[in-house]
Structures are given as structure tokens and as C-alpha cells.
Amino acid sequence: MQILVDADACPHQIQKTITSIARAHALQCLFVSSYAHFSYQDFQKDYLYVDKSSQAVDLVIANRVQVDDIVVTQDYGLAALVLAKGGKA
């Protein structure tokens, strides 16, 4: 089980909270964001940057999610893909 985060629209304070929860439960956590949202604050977390094309972040998360993974997103389309693959959105 891991936590995947659609980090493009996720505030840094929420990212810190997610990281804290992941550590407390010994879960791997991956933040996925486009280069358009690059921040030096992100170096202390596990971050994956993708190009800024439409839906690039969603596609990366949808391709990586596995059964019982947790995905944090505000995107209904991505949430539907996650649920169809057995993940929790």
C-alpha cells in the first residue's frame, strides 16, 4: 500500500500532513506534479515531476496505482480511474 498525491492543486500544508501520516503508518508516499508547479520546498518529499501537458499527472497516477493504494486528488476523473483499479480515492 502506498499514498499517491495529485500535488498540482494540493497546498503545502496538506502535503506536510500527508507526509506525516504516511510516516506514522510506514507507508510510501509519492507526490506527482507538473514542472509548472515546481517548488524548492518539495525536495524533502518523494516527488515525481512530469511535463505540463493536460492530464499528465493524472495519467502517471492512474498507471501507477494498485489495489488498496490511496490516492489524494480533487479530480473526479482520476478518482473514477483509481476506484476502477481497486484503489481508494
Side-chain angles (χ1 to χ4, degrees), residues 36-86:
H37 296 97
F38 177 81
S39 170
Y40 286 105
Q41 295 179 19
D42 301 331
F43 286 126
Q44 65 269 26
K45 301 180 201 79
D46 292 321
Y47 244 83
L48 174 64
Y49 284 100
V50 297
D51 64 51
K52 60 182 183 175
S53 64
S54 177
Q55 308 303 315
V57 170
D58 297 350
L59 291 173
V60 167
I61 292 173
N63 286 326
R64 287 179 176 248
V65 70
Q66 297 178 1
V67 174
D68 292 331
D69 283 351
I70 299 167
V71 175
V72 179
T73 184
Q74 297 182 58
D75 186 314
Y76 287 115
L78 176 57
L81 291 171
V82 168
L83 293 172
K85 292 183 78 175

Side-chain angles (χ1 to χ4, degrees), residues 6 13 19 22 24 28 30 38-39 46 56 62 72 88:
D6 180 351
Q13 187 58 40
T19 301
Q28 182 181 3
L30 179 64
F38 177 81
S39 170
D46 292 321
V72 179
K88 313 291 188 239

